[in-house]
Amino acid sequence: MAGSTRGPNDPRRRERILDAALDVIAEHGAIKVTFRKIAEAAGVPLGSLTYYFDDMQHLLTDAFTRLADTVSTRYGALLEATQTRQEAEEAVVEIICGKVWGTDRDLLLSYELYAFATRNPEVRDVMRSWMQASRDSLARHFDPLTARALDALVEGFSIHNSVDPRPTDREEVAAVVRAVVDRHH
């Protein structure tokens, strides 16, 4: 990578490697990731990866943790800004219909995270922490069962809307969110 710094003078190298790992996962899928592909995408020597990460499992766990933290922060910020239950309902609709995922890439990466987590206990812990953070954000305004239902709704609508030729629109999503909240209050 032209003009990049090396070694200890490159404090962002580890983060660059993790971002590159997520890019490679998005392009090829988690099961086809290699150290070589990540090093090339990050513009760093292959040896840098083994300096920062013991093995591929460690690297993927940290990369998926980075993804979860990024999306969870956006998700939580929308709910933190709300004062009333109605505002919280509107925030849930925004999480589903807006850009809390950031990009289609992040949504695709969340699919990879789910699939990879089914076979990897360390990554399953990342998934569980992400789910708990989402539920904790929702629990500021809703009881635990409603928070759990809304979190599942966020995940389900996000997945379905990404592949559905006629995604559920904002008004329909708002009606479903309202129905879930009303049912539990």
Side-chain angles (χ1 to χ4, degrees):
M1 185 151 138
S4 71
T5 55
R6 303 283 182 211
N9 296 327
D10 187 4
R12 290 216 62 255
R13 180 175 285 189
R14 185 177 188 282
E15 288 75 20
R16 223 172 45 248
I17 290 168
L18 292 174
D19 289 339
L22 291 171
D23 288 342
V24 173
I25 294 166
E27 185 176 345
H28 301 284
I31 62 167
K32 293 190 177 177
V33 170
T34 64
F35 274 179
R36 187 171 305 284
K37 285 177 185 171
I38 294 168
E40 189 176 300
V44 300
L46 191 56
S48 289
L49 275 67
T50 55
Y51 175 79
Y52 291 104
F53 305 98
D54 301 332
D55 55 26
M56 185 60 73
Q57 182 72 36
H58 178 199
L59 194 157
L60 290 177
T61 300
D62 286 4
F64 280 130
T65 299
R66 187 166 173 81
L67 168 73
D69 289 348
T70 300
V71 176
S72 191
T73 298
R74 289 193 293 254
Y75 188 120
L78 278 172
L79 287 157
E80 283 288 322
T82 64
Q83 300 299 315
T84 66
R85 197 179 86 197
Q86 182 178 348
E87 288 176 354
E89 286 177 31
E90 291 166 6
V92 171
V93 173
E94 179 58 25
I95 289 166
I96 294 168
C97 299
K99 285 293 176 194
V100 76
W101 288 103
T103 61
D104 290 341
R105 168 191 174 270
D106 287 349
L107 187 58
L108 173 65
L109 285 168
S110 75
Y111 300 162
E112 289 288 336
L113 172 55
Y114 273 114
F116 198 71
T118 61
R119 292 184 178 86
N120 296 275
E122 298 89 350
V123 179
R124 199 170 309 130
D125 288 342
V126 173
M127 190 76 241
R128 287 182 181 137
S129 293
W130 185 359
M131 288 168 55
Q132 191 58 54
S134 300
R135 290 175 188 168
D136 289 348
S137 293
L138 289 160
R140 292 183 64 243
H141 297 283
F142 306 104
D143 64 86
L145 181 58
T146 303
R148 189 179 190 106
L150 290 171
D151 190 43
L153 202 62
V154 166
E155 298 285 334
F157 267 131
S158 298
I159 292 167
H160 285 221
N161 282 348
S162 73
V163 295
D164 195 327
R166 194 195 75 74
T168 307
D169 69 29
R170 185 176 285 270
E171 289 173 16
E172 293 167 322
V173 168
V176 174
V177 168
R178 206 168 313 110
V180 168
V181 170
D182 290 347
R183 171 132 177 117
H184 293 102
H185 279 95

